[in-house]
Amino acid sequence: MERKFIRELILYVETRYGMTKELKQEYTLRISQANKTQLITILYEMTLLYIDEAEEALAGEDRTEFKNAVRKIRGCMNELTASLNFEYELAGNLLQLYLYVNRELVKASSHYDRESMEHVRMVISQLHKAYAQIEKQDQSGPVMGNTQTVYAGLTYGRNTLTENIADSVSNRGFCV
C-alpha cells in the first residue's frame, strides 16, 4: 500500500465527524501498527461507521449530512478499489462488488433510498467479516516502520487507562 493511502486513512480518522478523541487515538494507533490486511479491515470498519452516519442522516431527514456521509463512503470505496492487486483472481470479484456498492450509493444519493443503503451495509459487513478472518492468517509485519511503542495498562486511578510512549524516535515513518 502506498504512503498516500495510509496518510488519507489517518486523515479520515482525524477528521471524522462525531468521532471521539479516544476513538481517533484508537484508530490512529491501529493504523500505525497494521499490516496490509489489517488496513483493509480498518477501512471496512470506517466505511461501516460512515454508513451509520448516512442512515442517521436519512432518519433525521438531513440531506446535507447524508450527502456528506455518502461522499465519505465513496472515498473509502475508492481507496479499497485502488488497493486491489489484480495479480489475484479474487481482485476481479472484489472489483465487481465495489462497483455494485458504488451503483447502490448513486441510487441512495439521488433518491435518498434506505434500501440501497441497506444493500451497501450488507456487502461491506460481509467483506469486513471475511477480512477479519483473513487478517488472522496474515503474519506480515506492519506497513509503517519506526513507529513509537505504546504501552497501555491500568494505573493509580480506578478504571483509569494510561498510555505511555517509549522509544521516542525522530525518524518515525513508513516502510518502503
Side-chain angles (χ1 to χ4, degrees):
M1 299 209 176
E2 296 181 22
R3 292 177 185 189
K4 180 183 175 194
F5 170 74
I6 296 171
R7 281 191 207 112
E8 288 179 8
L9 195 54
I10 291 172
L11 182 64
Y12 276 129
V13 169
E14 292 173 347
T15 60
R16 185 184 184 290
Y17 173 77
M19 187 178 279
T20 64
K21 180 181 175 184
E22 292 79 18
L23 196 53
K24 286 180 189 178
Q25 288 174 338
E26 176 189 330
Y27 271 109
T28 302
L29 180 62
R30 285 180 61 203
I31 290 167
S32 70
Q33 298 177 348
N35 62 30
K36 291 179 181 184
T37 306
Q38 291 166 334
L39 285 173
I40 298 299
T41 305
I42 291 168
L43 196 50
Y44 284 135
E45 287 174 20
M46 293 172 67
T47 304
L48 290 168
L49 289 172
Y50 295 139
I51 292 169
D52 289 342
E53 276 185 20
E55 290 175 341
E56 287 173 20
L58 268 178
E61 298 184 16
D62 187 341
R63 291 180 175 217
T64 303
E65 283 304 315
F66 176 73
K67 294 263 187 186
N68 286 335
V70 169
R71 181 184 47 77
K72 292 174 190 176
I73 297 166
R74 292 178 102 179
C76 290
M77 297 311 300
N78 289 340
E79 290 299 332
L80 287 164
T81 302
S83 72
L84 291 173
N85 182 349
F86 287 99
E87 292 178 16
Y88 301 99
E89 185 178 332
L90 178 62
N93 296 335
L94 287 171
L95 177 62
Q96 292 305 312
L97 286 170
Y98 295 164
L99 292 173
Y100 170 75
V101 166
N102 281 326
R103 285 191 301 271
E104 291 298 301
L105 287 171
V106 168
K107 268 200 283 188
S109 186
S110 60
H111 302 294
Y112 302 99
D113 183 24
R114 293 180 204 284
E115 187 176 336
S116 295
M117 288 306 300
E118 289 172 16
H119 294 164
V120 170
R121 177 181 292 286
M122 183 181 66
V123 170
I124 298 301
S125 293
Q126 292 301 316
L127 289 171
H128 175 256
K129 286 178 189 173
Y131 264 82
Q133 293 298 317
I134 294 169
E135 133 182 344
K136 293 175 186 175
Q137 299 170 11
D138 187 349
Q139 299 302 315
S140 63
V143 174
M144 291 180 70
N146 301 322
T147 59
Q148 293 176 325
T149 304
V150 177
Y151 298 98
L154 293 177
T155 57
Y156 295 103
R158 177 184 280 177
N159 298 326
T160 302
L161 181 67
T162 302
E163 294 180 345
N164 296 310
I165 298 173
D167 300 332
S168 192
V169 291
S170 60
N171 63 344
R172 292 185 316 208
F174 301 96
C175 294
V176 284

